[in-house]
Amino acid sequence: PEELKEDIKKRYNDLYAKGYALAFEGLDMSKFRDDIDKTKMFEIIMFVINGLSQKYLHIVESSADKGYSMMEKVLDETKKYVEIMRKVFYKN
């Protein structure tokens, strides 16, 4: 309902912010490059994770085995993206 939209939007944003903070809590920041804005870097990482999730969610939902047969492919592709992000965001 229209009267709930603002409340739901606020709650979503609050939960997203809390989840974002928890996702990176305790992260060893010494490994990351000093010349990159950390907030933007984490947003890029989240964009990649969310994009991969959306990509495979559609495939998994339509799959008879709910994506089980694709698990290795998904993990391999995810590892490739993580390796690229390490090269970009980690110190040499």
Side-chain angles (χ1 to χ4, degrees):
E2 192 65 37
E3 60 269 11
L4 294 179
K5 282 185 180 181
E6 279 304 311
D7 186 47
I8 290 172
K9 183 178 179 181
K10 182 188 179 311
R11 289 174 187 238
Y12 174 83
N13 289 336
D14 290 347
L15 285 173
Y16 183 83
K18 288 176 185 175
Y20 186 81
L22 285 173
F24 297 106
E25 185 178 297
L27 192 61
D28 182 1
M29 298 301 288
S30 68
K31 293 182 179 186
F32 295 101
R33 292 173 43 179
D34 297 321
D35 61 333
I36 295 177
D37 180 320
K38 302 297 188 279
T39 301
K40 298 291 182 203
M41 177 185 67
F42 290 133
E43 285 181 355
I44 291 169
I45 292 169
M46 293 306 296
F47 291 152
V48 171
I49 292 169
N50 288 333
L52 285 171
S53 297
Q54 289 300 312
K55 175 182 177 179
Y56 284 109
L57 184 61
H58 293 297
I59 295 170
V60 166
E61 287 175 342
S62 63
S63 170
D65 68 353
K66 299 297 181 197
Y68 183 76
S69 61
M70 296 181 57
M71 186 72 70
E72 191 169 330
K73 178 184 177 196
V74 171
L75 291 174
D76 286 343
E77 183 175 15
T78 303
K79 286 177 186 177
K80 289 176 185 175
Y81 279 98
V82 169
E83 185 57 36
I84 290 168
M85 288 188 289
R86 280 188 179 133
K87 287 179 183 178
V88 172
F89 297 127
Y90 274 18
K91 293 177 181 177
N92 290 330

Coordinates of all heavy atoms in Angstrom, one line a residue:
P1 N 0.8 -1.2 0.0 CA 0.0 0.0 0.0 C 0.9 1.3 0.0 O 2.0 1.3 0.6 CB -0.8 -0.1 1.3 CG -0.7 -1.5 1.7 CD 0.6 -2.1 1.1
E2 N 0.3 2.3 -0.6 CA 1.1 3.6 -0.7 C 1.5 4.1 0.6 O 2.6 4.6 0.8 CB 0.2 4.6 -1.4 CG 0.9 5.8 -1.9 CD 1.9 5.6 -2.9 OE1 1.7 4.7 -3.8 OE2 3.0 6.2 -2.9
E3 N 0.7 4.0 1.6 CA 1.0 4.6 3.0 C 2.2 3.8 3.6 O 2.8 4.3 4.6 CB -0.2 4.6 3.9 CG -0.8 3.2 4.2 CD -1.9 2.8 3.2 OE1 -2.1 3.5 2.2 OE2 -2.6 1.8 3.5
L4 N 2.6 2.7 3.2 CA 3.7 1.9 3.7 C 5.0 2.1 3.0 O 6.1 1.7 3.5 CB 3.3 0.4 3.8 CG 2.2 0.1 4.8 CD1 2.0 -1.4 4.7 CD2 2.5 0.5 6.2
K5 N 5.0 2.6 1.8 CA 6.1 2.7 0.9 C 7.3 3.4 1.6 O 8.5 2.9 1.6 CB 5.8 3.4 -0.4 CG 5.1 2.5 -1.3 CD 4.9 3.1 -2.7 CE 4.2 2.1 -3.6 NZ 4.0 2.7 -4.9
E6 N 7.1 4.6 2.2 CA 8.2 5.3 2.9 C 8.8 4.6 4.0 O 10.0 4.5 4.2 CB 7.7 6.7 3.3 CG 7.7 7.7 2.2 CD 9.0 7.9 1.5 OE1 10.1 8.1 2.2 OE2 9.0 7.9 0.3
D7 N 7.9 3.9 4.8 CA 8.4 3.2 6.0 C 9.3 2.0 5.5 O 10.3 1.7 6.0 CB 7.3 2.7 6.8 CG 7.7 2.0 8.1 OD1 8.6 2.5 8.8 OD2 7.2 0.9 8.4
I8 N 8.8 1.3 4.5 CA 9.5 0.1 3.9 C 10.8 0.6 3.3 O 11.9 -0.1 3.6 CB 8.7 -0.6 2.9 CG1 7.5 -1.3 3.6 CG2 9.5 -1.6 2.1 CD1 6.5 -1.9 2.7
K9 N 10.8 1.7 2.6 CA 12.1 2.2 2.0 C 13.1 2.6 3.1 O 14.3 2.2 3.0 CB 11.8 3.5 1.2 CG 12.9 4.0 0.5 CD 12.6 5.2 -0.4 CE 13.8 5.8 -1.1 NZ 13.4 7.0 -1.9
K10 N 12.6 3.2 4.2 CA 13.5 3.6 5.3 C 14.1 2.3 6.0 O 15.3 2.2 6.2 CB 12.8 4.4 6.3 CG 13.7 4.9 7.5 CD 12.9 5.5 8.6 CE 13.7 6.0 9.7 NZ 14.7 5.0 10.3
R11 N 13.2 1.3 6.2 CA 13.7 0.1 6.8 C 14.7 -0.6 6.0 O 15.7 -1.2 6.4 CB 12.5 -0.8 7.2 CG 11.7 -0.3 8.3 CD 10.4 -1.2 8.5 NE 9.5 -0.7 9.4 CZ 9.1 -1.3 10.5 NH1 9.5 -2.6 10.7 NH2 8.3 -0.8 11.4
Y12 N 14.4 -0.7 4.7 CA 15.4 -1.3 3.7 C 16.7 -0.6 3.8 O 17.8 -1.3 3.8 CB 14.8 -1.3 2.3 CG 15.8 -1.8 1.3 CD1 15.9 -3.2 1.0 CD2 16.6 -0.9 0.6 CE1 16.8 -3.6 0.1 CE2 17.5 -1.4 -0.4 CZ 17.6 -2.7 -0.6 OH 18.5 -3.2 -1.5
N13 N 16.7 0.7 3.7 CA 18.0 1.5 3.7 C 18.7 1.2 5.0 O 20.0 1.1 5.0 CB 17.7 2.9 3.5 CG 17.3 3.2 2.0 OD1 17.6 2.5 1.1 ND2 16.6 4.3 1.9
D14 N 18.0 1.2 6.1 CA 18.7 0.9 7.4 C 19.3 -0.5 7.5 O 20.4 -0.6 7.9 CB 17.7 1.1 8.6 CG 17.2 2.5 8.8 OD1 17.9 3.5 8.3 OD2 16.2 2.7 9.5
L15 N 18.5 -1.4 7.0 CA 19.1 -2.8 7.0 C 20.2 -3.0 6.0 O 21.2 -3.7 6.3 CB 18.0 -3.8 6.6 CG 16.9 -4.1 7.7 CD1 15.8 -4.9 7.1 CD2 17.6 -4.8 8.8
Y16 N 20.2 -2.3 4.9 CA 21.3 -2.3 3.9 C 22.5 -1.8 4.5 O 23.6 -2.3 4.4 CB 20.9 -1.6 2.6 CG 21.9 -1.6 1.6 CD1 22.0 -2.7 0.7 CD2 22.8 -0.6 1.4 CE1 22.9 -2.8 -0.3 CE2 23.8 -0.7 0.4 CZ 23.8 -1.8 -0.4 OH 24.8 -1.8 -1.4
A17 N 22.4 -0.6 5.2 CA 23.6 0.0 5.8 C 24.2 -0.9 6.9 O 25.4 -1.0 7.0 CB 23.2 1.4 6.4
K18 N 23.3 -1.5 7.7 CA 23.8 -2.4 8.8 C 24.5 -3.7 8.2 O 25.5 -4.1 8.6 CB 22.7 -2.9 9.7 CG 22.2 -1.8 10.6 CD 21.0 -2.2 11.4 CE 20.4 -1.1 12.2 NZ 19.2 -1.4 13.0
G19 N 23.9 -4.2 7.1 CA 24.4 -5.4 6.4 C 25.8 -5.0 5.8 O 26.7 -5.8 5.8
Y20 N 25.8 -3.9 5.2 CA 27.1 -3.4 4.6 C 28.2 -3.3 5.6 O 29.3 -3.8 5.4 CB 26.8 -2.0 3.9 CG 27.9 -1.4 3.1 CD1 28.1 -1.9 1.8 CD2 28.8 -0.5 3.6 CE1 29.1 -1.3 1.0 CE2 29.8 0.1 2.8 CZ 29.9 -0.4 1.5 OH 31.0 0.2 0.8
A21 N 27.9 -2.7 6.7 CA 28.9 -2.6 7.8 C 29.3 -4.0 8.3 O 30.5 -4.2 8.5 CB 28.3 -1.8 9.0
L22 N 28.4 -4.9 8.5 CA 28.7 -6.2 9.0 C 29.5 -7.0 8.0 O 30.4 -7.8 8.3 CB 27.4 -7.0 9.3 CG 26.7 -6.6 10.6 CD1 25.4 -7.4 10.7 CD2 27.5 -6.9 11.8
A23 N 29.3 -6.8 6.7 CA 30.0 -7.5 5.7 C 31.5 -7.2 5.7 O 32.3 -8.1 5.4 CB 29.4 -7.2 4.3
F24 N 31.8 -6.0 6.1 CA 33.2 -5.6 6.0 C 33.8 -5.4 7.4 O 35.0 -5.0 7.6 CB 33.4 -4.3 5.2 CG 33.0 -4.5 3.8 CD1 31.8 -4.0 3.3 CD2 33.8 -5.3 2.9 CE1 31.4 -4.2 2.0 CE2 33.4 -5.5 1.6 CZ 32.2 -5.0 1.1
E25 N 33.1 -5.8 8.5 CA 33.6 -5.7 9.8 C 34.8 -6.7 10.0 O 34.8 -7.8 9.6 CB 32.5 -6.2 10.8 CG 32.8 -6.0 12.3 CD 31.6 -6.4 13.1 OE1 30.6 -5.7 13.0 OE2 31.8 -7.4 13.9
G26 N 35.8 -6.1 10.7 CA 37.0 -6.9 11.0 C 37.9 -7.2 9.8 O 38.9 -7.9 9.9
L27 N 37.6 -6.5 8.7 CA 38.4 -6.7 7.4 C 39.8 -6.0 7.6 O 39.9 -4.9 8.2 CB 37.7 -6.0 6.3 CG 38.2 -6.3 4.9 CD1 38.1 -7.8 4.6 CD2 37.4 -5.5 3.9
D28 N 40.9 -6.7 7.2 CA 42.2 -6.2 7.3 C 42.5 -5.2 6.3 O 42.7 -5.5 5.1 CB 43.2 -7.4 7.2 CG 44.7 -6.9 7.3 OD1 44.9 -5.7 7.6 OD2 45.6 -7.8 7.2
M29 N 42.3 -3.9 6.6 CA 42.4 -2.8 5.7 C 43.8 -2.6 5.2 O 44.1 -1.9 4.2 CB 41.9 -1.5 6.3 CG 40.4 -1.6 6.7 SD 39.3 -2.0 5.3 CE 39.4 -0.4 4.4
S30 N 44.8 -3.1 5.9 CA 46.2 -2.9 5.5 C 46.6 -3.5 4.1 O 47.6 -3.2 3.5 CB 47.2 -3.5 6.5 OG 47.1 -4.9 6.6
K31 N 45.7 -4.4 3.6 CA 46.0 -5.1 2.3 C 45.5 -4.3 1.2 O 46.0 -4.5 0.0 CB 45.3 -6.5 2.3 CG 45.9 -7.5 3.3 CD 45.2 -8.8 3.1 CE 45.8 -9.8 4.1 NZ 45.3 -11.1 3.9
F32 N 44.7 -3.3 1.4 CA 44.1 -2.5 0.3 C 45.0 -1.3 0.0 O 45.6 -0.7 0.9 CB 42.7 -2.1 0.7 CG 41.8 -3.2 0.8 CD1 41.4 -3.7 2.0 CD2 41.2 -3.8 -0.3 CE1 40.5 -4.8 2.1 CE2 40.4 -4.9 -0.2 CZ 40.0 -5.4 1.0
R33 N 44.9 -0.9 -1.2 CA 45.7 0.3 -1.7 C 45.2 1.5 -1.0 O 44.0 1.7 -0.7 CB 45.5 0.5 -3.2 CG 46.1 -0.6 -4.0 CD 45.8 -0.6 -5.5 NE 45.9 0.8 -6.0 CZ 45.7 1.1 -7.3 NH1 45.4 0.2 -8.1 NH2 45.7 2.3 -7.7
D34 N 46.2 2.4 -0.7 CA 45.9 3.7 0.0 C 45.3 4.8 -0.9 O 44.8 5.7 -0.4 CB 47.1 4.2 0.7 CG 47.6 3.2 1.8 OD1 46.7 2.6 2.5 OD2 48.8 3.0 1.9
D35 N 45.6 4.6 -2.2 CA 45.2 5.7 -3.1 C 43.8 5.5 -3.7 O 43.4 6.2 -4.6 CB 46.2 5.7 -4.3 CG 46.3 4.5 -5.1 OD1 46.0 3.4 -4.5 OD2 46.6 4.5 -6.3
I36 N 43.0 4.6 -3.1 CA 41.6 4.4 -3.6 C 40.6 4.7 -2.5 O 40.9 4.3 -1.3 CB 41.5 2.9 -4.1 CG1 42.3 2.6 -5.3 CG2 40.0 2.6 -4.4 CD1 42.3 1.2 -5.8
D37 N 39.6 5.4 -2.8 CA 38.5 5.7 -1.8 C 37.9 4.3 -1.4 O 37.3 3.6 -2.2 CB 37.5 6.6 -2.5 CG 36.3 6.9 -1.6 OD1 35.8 6.1 -0.8 OD2 35.9 8.1 -1.7
K38 N 38.0 4.0 -0.1 CA 37.6 2.7 0.4 C 36.0 2.6 0.3 O 35.6 1.5 0.0 CB 37.9 2.6 1.9 CG 39.4 2.7 2.2 CD 40.2 1.6 1.5 CE 41.7 1.6 2.0 NZ 42.5 2.5 1.3
T39 N 35.3 3.6 0.5 CA 33.8 3.5 0.3 C 33.5 3.1 -1.1 O 32.7 2.2 -1.3 CB 33.2 4.9 0.7 OG1 33.5 5.2 2.1 CG2 31.7 4.8 0.6
K40 N 34.1 3.8 -2.1 CA 33.8 3.5 -3.5 C 34.3 2.1 -3.8 O 33.6 1.4 -4.6 CB 34.5 4.5 -4.4 CG 34.0 5.9 -4.2 CD 32.6 6.1 -4.7 CE 32.1 7.5 -4.5 NZ 30.7 7.7 -4.4
M41 N 35.4 1.7 -3.3 CA 35.9 0.4 -3.5 C 34.9 -0.7 -3.0 O 34.6 -1.6 -3.8 CB 37.3 0.2 -2.8 CG 37.9 -1.2 -3.0 SD 39.4 -1.4 -2.0 CE 38.8 -1.2 -0.3
F42 N 34.4 -0.5 -1.8 CA 33.5 -1.5 -1.3 C 32.2 -1.5 -2.1 O 31.6 -2.5 -2.2 CB 33.2 -1.2 0.2 CG 34.4 -1.6 1.1 CD1 34.8 -0.7 2.1 CD2 35.1 -2.7 0.9 CE1 35.9 -1.0 2.9 CE2 36.2 -3.1 1.7 CZ 36.6 -2.2 2.7
E43 N 31.8 -0.3 -2.6 CA 30.6 -0.3 -3.4 C 30.8 -1.1 -4.7 O 29.9 -1.8 -5.1 CB 30.2 1.2 -3.7 CG 29.6 1.9 -2.5 CD 29.2 3.3 -2.9 OE1 29.5 3.8 -4.0 OE2 28.6 4.0 -2.0
I44 N 32.0 -0.9 -5.3 CA 32.3 -1.7 -6.5 C 32.2 -3.2 -6.2 O 31.7 -4.0 -7.0 CB 33.6 -1.3 -7.1 CG1 33.5 0.1 -7.6 CG2 34.1 -2.3 -8.2 CD1 34.9 0.7 -8.0
I45 N 32.8 -3.6 -5.1 CA 32.8 -5.0 -4.7 C 31.4 -5.5 -4.5 O 31.0 -6.6 -5.0 CB 33.6 -5.2 -3.4 CG1 35.1 -5.0 -3.7 CG2 33.4 -6.6 -2.9 CD1 36.0 -4.9 -2.5
M46 N 30.6 -4.7 -3.9 CA 29.1 -5.1 -3.7 C 28.4 -5.1 -5.0 O 27.5 -6.0 -5.2 CB 28.5 -4.1 -2.7 CG 29.0 -4.2 -1.3 SD 29.0 -5.9 -0.6 CE 27.2 -6.2 -0.5
F47 N 28.7 -4.2 -5.9 CA 28.1 -4.2 -7.3 C 28.4 -5.6 -8.0 O 27.5 -6.2 -8.6 CB 28.5 -3.1 -8.1 CG 28.1 -1.7 -7.7 CD1 28.8 -0.6 -8.0 CD2 26.9 -1.6 -7.0 CE1 28.4 0.7 -7.6 CE2 26.4 -0.3 -6.6 CZ 27.2 0.8 -6.9
V48 N 29.6 -6.0 -7.9 CA 30.0 -7.2 -8.5 C 29.3 -8.4 -7.9 O 28.7 -9.3 -8.6 CB 31.6 -7.4 -8.5 CG1 32.0 -8.8 -8.9 CG2 32.3 -6.4 -9.3
I49 N 29.3 -8.5 -6.6 CA 28.6 -9.6 -5.8 C 27.1 -9.6 -6.2 O 26.6 -10.6 -6.5 CB 28.9 -9.4 -4.3 CG1 30.3 -9.7 -4.0 CG2 28.0 -10.4 -3.6 CD1 30.8 -9.4 -2.6
N50 N 26.5 -8.4 -6.1 CA 25.1 -8.3 -6.4 C 24.8 -8.7 -7.9 O 23.8 -9.4 -8.1 CB 24.5 -6.9 -6.1 CG 24.4 -6.7 -4.6 OD1 24.3 -7.6 -3.8 ND2 24.5 -5.4 -4.3
G51 N 25.6 -8.3 -8.8 CA 25.5 -8.6 -10.2 C 25.6 -10.1 -10.4 O 24.7 -10.7 -11.2
L52 N 26.6 -10.7 -9.8 CA 26.7 -12.2 -10.0 C 25.5 -12.9 -9.4 O 25.0 -13.9 -9.9 CB 28.0 -12.7 -9.3 CG 29.3 -12.4 -10.1 CD1 30.5 -12.7 -9.3 CD2 29.3 -13.1 -11.4
S53 N 25.1 -12.4 -8.2 CA 23.9 -13.0 -7.6 C 22.7 -13.0 -8.5 O 22.0 -14.0 -8.6 CB 23.6 -12.3 -6.2 OG 24.6 -12.5 -5.4
Q54 N 22.4 -11.8 -9.0 CA 21.3 -11.6 -9.9 C 21.4 -12.5 -11.2 O 20.4 -13.1 -11.6 CB 21.1 -10.2 -10.3 CG 20.6 -9.3 -9.2 CD 19.3 -9.8 -8.6 OE1 18.3 -10.0 -9.3 NE2 19.2 -9.9 -7.3
K55 N 22.6 -12.5 -11.7 CA 22.8 -13.3 -12.9 C 22.4 -14.8 -12.7 O 21.7 -15.4 -13.5 CB 24.3 -13.2 -13.4 CG 24.7 -14.1 -14.5 CD 26.1 -13.9 -14.8 CE 26.6 -14.8 -15.9 NZ 28.0 -14.7 -16.2
Y56 N 22.9 -15.3 -11.6 CA 22.7 -16.8 -11.4 C 21.4 -17.0 -10.7 O 20.9 -18.2 -10.9 CB 23.9 -17.3 -10.6 CG 25.1 -17.5 -11.5 CD1 26.2 -16.7 -11.4 CD2 25.1 -18.5 -12.5 CE1 27.3 -16.9 -12.2 CE2 26.1 -18.6 -13.3 CZ 27.2 -17.9 -13.2 OH 28.3 -18.0 -14.1
L57 N 20.8 -16.1 -10.0 CA 19.5 -16.3 -9.5 C 18.5 -16.6 -10.5 O 17.7 -17.6 -10.4 CB 19.1 -15.1 -8.7 CG 17.7 -15.2 -7.9 CD1 17.8 -16.3 -6.9 CD2 17.4 -13.9 -7.2
H58 N 18.5 -15.9 -11.6 CA 17.5 -16.2 -12.7 C 17.7 -17.5 -13.3 O 16.8 -18.3 -13.6 CB 17.7 -15.1 -13.8 CG 17.3 -13.7 -13.4 ND1 16.0 -13.4 -13.0 CD2 18.0 -12.6 -13.2 CE1 15.9 -12.2 -12.6 NE2 17.1 -11.6 -12.8
I59 N 19.0 -17.9 -13.4 CA 19.3 -19.3 -14.0 C 18.9 -20.4 -13.1 O 18.3 -21.3 -13.4 CB 20.8 -19.3 -14.4 CG1 21.1 -18.3 -15.5 CG2 21.2 -20.8 -14.8 CD1 22.6 -18.2 -15.7
V60 N 19.2 -20.2 -11.8 CA 18.9 -21.2 -10.8 C 17.4 -21.4 -10.6 O 16.9 -22.5 -10.5 CB 19.6 -20.8 -9.4 CG1 19.0 -21.6 -8.3 CG2 21.1 -21.0 -9.5
E61 N 16.7 -20.3 -10.6 CA 15.2 -20.4 -10.5 C 14.5 -21.2 -11.6 O 13.5 -21.8 -11.3 CB 14.6 -19.0 -10.4 CG 14.9 -18.3 -9.1 CD 14.3 -16.9 -9.1 OE1 14.1 -16.3 -10.2 OE2 14.2 -16.3 -8.0
S62 N 15.1 -21.2 -12.8 CA 14.5 -21.9 -13.9 C 15.1 -23.3 -14.1 O 14.7 -24.0 -14.9 CB 14.6 -21.1 -15.2 OG 16.0 -20.9 -15.5
S63 N 16.1 -23.6 -13.3 CA 16.8 -24.9 -13.4 C 16.0 -26.0 -12.6 O 15.6 -25.8 -11.5 CB 18.2 -24.7 -12.9 OG 18.8 -26.0 -12.8
A64 N 16.0 -27.2 -13.2 CA 15.3 -28.3 -12.6 C 16.0 -28.7 -11.3 O 15.3 -29.1 -10.3 CB 15.2 -29.5 -13.6
D65 N 17.3 -28.6 -11.3 CA 18.0 -29.0 -10.1 C 18.4 -27.9 -9.2 O 19.2 -28.0 -8.3 CB 19.2 -29.9 -10.4 CG 20.3 -29.0 -11.1 OD1 20.0 -27.9 -11.5 OD2 21.4 -29.6 -11.3
K66 N 17.7 -26.7 -9.4 CA 17.9 -25.5 -8.6 C 19.4 -25.0 -8.6 O 19.9 -24.5 -7.7 CB 17.5 -25.7 -7.2 CG 16.0 -25.9 -7.1 CD 15.2 -24.8 -7.6 CE 13.7 -25.0 -7.5 NZ 12.9 -24.2 -8.4
G67 N 20.1 -25.3 -9.7 CA 21.4 -24.8 -9.9 C 22.5 -25.7 -9.4 O 23.7 -25.4 -9.5
Y68 N 22.2 -26.8 -8.8 CA 23.2 -27.7 -8.3 C 24.2 -28.1 -9.3 O 25.4 -28.1 -9.0 CB 22.5 -29.0 -7.7 CG 23.5 -29.9 -7.0 CD1 24.1 -29.5 -5.7 CD2 24.0 -31.0 -7.6 CE1 25.0 -30.3 -5.1 CE2 24.9 -31.8 -7.0 CZ 25.4 -31.5 -5.7 OH 26.3 -32.3 -5.1
S69 N 23.8 -28.4 -10.5 CA 24.7 -28.8 -11.6 C 25.6 -27.7 -12.0 O 26.7 -27.9 -12.6 CB 24.0 -29.4 -12.8 OG 23.1 -28.3 -13.3
M70 N 25.3 -26.5 -11.7 CA 26.1 -25.3 -12.1 C 27.0 -24.8 -11.0 O 27.8 -23.9 -11.2 CB 25.2 -24.1 -12.5 CG 24.3 -24.4 -13.7 SD 23.3 -23.0 -14.1 CE 24.6 -21.7 -14.3
M71 N 27.0 -25.4 -9.8 CA 27.7 -24.9 -8.6 C 29.2 -24.7 -8.9 O 29.7 -23.6 -8.6 CB 27.5 -25.9 -7.5 CG 28.1 -25.4 -6.2 SD 27.2 -24.1 -5.5 CE 25.8 -25.0 -4.9
E72 N 29.8 -25.6 -9.6 CA 31.2 -25.5 -9.8 C 31.5 -24.3 -10.8 O 32.4 -23.6 -10.6 CB 31.8 -26.8 -10.4 CG 33.3 -26.8 -10.5 CD 33.9 -28.2 -10.8 OE1 33.3 -29.2 -10.4 OE2 35.0 -28.2 -11.4
K73 N 30.7 -24.2 -11.8 CA 30.8 -23.1 -12.8 C 30.7 -21.7 -12.1 O 31.4 -20.8 -12.3 CB 29.8 -23.2 -13.9 CG 29.9 -22.1 -14.9 CD 28.8 -22.2 -15.9 CE 28.9 -21.0 -16.8 NZ 27.8 -20.7 -17.6
V74 N 29.7 -21.6 -11.2 CA 29.4 -20.4 -10.5 C 30.6 -20.1 -9.6 O 31.1 -18.9 -9.5 CB 28.1 -20.5 -9.6 CG1 28.0 -19.3 -8.7 CG2 26.9 -20.7 -10.5
L75 N 31.1 -21.0 -8.8 CA 32.3 -20.8 -8.0 C 33.5 -20.4 -8.8 O 34.2 -19.5 -8.3 CB 32.5 -22.1 -7.1 CG 31.5 -22.4 -6.1 CD1 31.8 -23.7 -5.4 CD2 31.4 -21.3 -5.0
D76 N 33.7 -21.1 -9.9 CA 34.9 -20.7 -10.7 C 34.8 -19.3 -11.2 O 35.8 -18.5 -11.2 CB 35.0 -21.7 -11.9 CG 35.5 -23.1 -11.5 OD1 36.1 -23.2 -10.4 OD2 35.3 -24.0 -12.3
E77 N 33.6 -18.9 -11.7 CA 33.4 -17.5 -12.2 C 33.6 -16.5 -11.1 O 34.3 -15.5 -11.2 CB 32.1 -17.4 -12.9 CG 31.9 -16.0 -13.4 CD 30.6 -15.8 -14.2 OE1 29.7 -16.6 -14.1 OE2 30.6 -14.8 -14.9
T78 N 33.1 -16.8 -9.9 CA 33.2 -15.9 -8.8 C 34.7 -15.8 -8.4 O 35.1 -14.7 -8.1 CB 32.4 -16.5 -7.6 OG1 31.0 -16.6 -8.0 CG2 32.5 -15.6 -6.4
K79 N 35.4 -16.9 -8.4 CA 36.8 -16.8 -8.1 C 37.6 -15.9 -9.0 O 38.5 -15.2 -8.7 CB 37.4 -18.2 -8.1 CG 37.0 -19.0 -6.9 CD 37.6 -20.4 -7.0 CE 37.1 -21.3 -5.8 NZ 37.6 -22.7 -6.0
K80 N 37.2 -16.0 -10.3 CA 37.9 -15.1 -11.3 C 37.6 -13.6 -11.0 O 38.5 -12.8 -11.2 CB 37.4 -15.5 -12.7 CG 37.9 -16.8 -13.2 CD 37.4 -17.3 -14.5 CE 37.8 -18.7 -14.9 NZ 37.3 -19.2 -16.1
Y81 N 36.4 -13.3 -10.7 CA 36.1 -11.9 -10.3 C 36.8 -11.5 -9.1 O 37.3 -10.4 -9.0 CB 34.6 -11.7 -10.2 CG 33.8 -11.6 -11.5 CD1 33.2 -12.6 -12.1 CD2 33.8 -10.3 -12.1 CE1 32.5 -12.5 -13.3 CE2 33.1 -10.2 -13.3 CZ 32.5 -11.3 -13.9 OH 31.8 -11.1 -15.1
V82 N 36.9 -12.3 -8.1 CA 37.6 -12.0 -6.9 C 39.1 -11.8 -7.2 O 39.7 -10.8 -6.7 CB 37.4 -13.1 -5.8 CG1 38.4 -12.9 -4.6 CG2 36.0 -13.1 -5.3
E83 N 39.7 -12.6 -8.0 CA 41.1 -12.4 -8.4 C 41.3 -11.1 -9.1 O 42.3 -10.4 -8.8 CB 41.5 -13.6 -9.3 CG 43.0 -13.6 -9.6 CD 43.9 -13.6 -8.3 OE1 43.5 -14.2 -7.3 OE2 45.0 -12.9 -8.4
I84 N 40.4 -10.7 -10.0 CA 40.5 -9.4 -10.7 C 40.5 -8.3 -9.6 O 41.3 -7.4 -9.7 CB 39.4 -9.3 -11.7 CG1 39.7 -10.2 -12.9 CG2 39.3 -7.8 -12.2 CD1 38.5 -10.3 -13.9
M85 N 39.5 -8.4 -8.7 CA 39.4 -7.3 -7.7 C 40.6 -7.3 -6.8 O 41.0 -6.2 -6.4 CB 38.1 -7.5 -6.9 CG 36.8 -7.2 -7.7 SD 35.3 -7.2 -6.7 CE 35.1 -8.9 -6.4
R86 N 41.2 -8.4 -6.5 CA 42.4 -8.4 -5.7 C 43.5 -7.6 -6.4 O 44.3 -6.9 -5.8 CB 42.9 -9.8 -5.4 CG 42.2 -10.5 -4.3 CD 42.8 -11.8 -4.0 NE 42.1 -12.4 -2.9 CZ 41.7 -13.7 -2.8 NH1 42.0 -14.5 -3.8 NH2 41.1 -14.2 -1.8
K87 N 43.7 -7.9 -7.7 CA 44.7 -7.2 -8.5 C 44.5 -5.7 -8.6 O 45.4 -4.9 -8.6 CB 44.7 -7.8 -9.9 CG 45.3 -9.1 -10.0 CD 45.3 -9.6 -11.5 CE 45.9 -11.1 -11.5 NZ 45.8 -11.6 -12.9
V88 N 43.2 -5.3 -8.6 CA 42.9 -3.9 -8.7 C 43.0 -3.2 -7.3 O 43.5 -2.1 -7.2 CB 41.4 -3.7 -9.3 CG1 41.0 -2.3 -9.2 CG2 41.4 -4.2 -10.7
F89 N 42.5 -3.8 -6.3 CA 42.3 -3.1 -5.0 C 43.4 -3.4 -4.0 O 43.6 -2.6 -3.0 CB 41.0 -3.5 -4.4 CG 39.8 -3.0 -5.2 CD1 38.8 -3.9 -5.5 CD2 39.7 -1.7 -5.6 CE1 37.7 -3.4 -6.3 CE2 38.6 -1.2 -6.3 CZ 37.6 -2.1 -6.7
Y90 N 44.2 -4.5 -4.1 CA 45.2 -4.9 -3.1 C 46.5 -4.1 -3.5 O 46.8 -3.8 -4.6 CB 45.5 -6.3 -3.1 CG 44.6 -7.2 -2.2 CD1 43.4 -6.8 -1.7 CD2 45.1 -8.5 -1.9 CE1 42.6 -7.5 -0.9 CE2 44.3 -9.3 -1.1 CZ 43.1 -8.8 -0.6 OH 42.3 -9.6 0.2
K91 N 47.3 -3.9 -2.4 CA 48.6 -3.3 -2.6 C 49.5 -4.4 -3.3 O 49.3 -5.6 -3.2 CB 49.3 -3.0 -1.3 CG 48.6 -1.9 -0.6 CD 49.2 -1.7 0.8 CE 48.5 -0.6 1.6 NZ 49.0 -0.4 2.9
N92 N 50.5 -3.9 -4.1 CA 51.4 -4.8 -4.7 C 52.3 -5.5 -3.7 O 52.6 -5.1 -2.7 CB 52.3 -4.1 -5.8 CG 51.4 -3.6 -6.9 OD1 50.4 -4.2 -7.3 ND2 51.8 -2.5 -7.5

